[in-house]
Amino acid sequence: MKRLIALGIGVFGLRALIRRRRSRTAHADELREKLAANRAAEPPPSVVPPEPEPEPAASAVVAEKPKPKPAAPPSAKKPKPESDAEPAPPETDSVDERRAEVHARARQKIDELS
């Protein structure tokens, strides 16, 4: 009896899947047809060069020179912001030494945060 019920549910599920697939393809075909019809109905884009703008008369054009900015007094120099970046570590020869340095720095940072 259980097998018969499982078979019936399987048949209905397969049937629903097939219907769903057919409706998707039919819907896609409808959309393709509409798109083709709209493309055929649209007139081709006309290529019309834009009209050049008339140049203003030479007497009307006044070239303005930018005003120079006054120089800041030397006492008003801004101090350099201190960077939070660590200085570059010295070059080491082997990978193991570099790895050990990186681990040591990481442990130090973790201790600082704790």
Side-chain angles (χ1 to χ4, degrees), residues 60-72:
V61 177
V62 177
E64 293 184 24
K65 293 183 181 179
K67 295 179 182 178
K69 295 180 181 178

Side-chain angles (χ1 to χ4, degrees), residues 58-113:
S59 61
V61 177
V62 177
E64 293 184 24
K65 293 183 181 179
K67 295 179 182 178
K69 295 180 181 178
S75 62
K77 287 185 180 178
K78 294 181 182 177
K80 274 189 168 178
E82 295 179 16
S83 65
D84 293 335
E86 294 180 7
E91 294 288 327
T92 55
D93 294 333
S94 73
V95 174
D96 293 329
E97 290 175 4
R98 283 186 277 167
R99 185 177 295 132
E101 283 181 38
V102 169
H103 285 290
R105 282 187 283 161
R107 284 187 200 104
Q108 182 183 8
K109 290 292 183 182
I110 290 172
D111 291 340
E112 288 176 8
L113 292 174

Side-chain angles (χ1 to χ4, degrees), residues 2 11 17 27 36 47 56 66 76 84 93:
K2 291 180 184 179
V11 169
L17 182 66
H27 185 65
V47 180
D84 293 335
D93 294 333

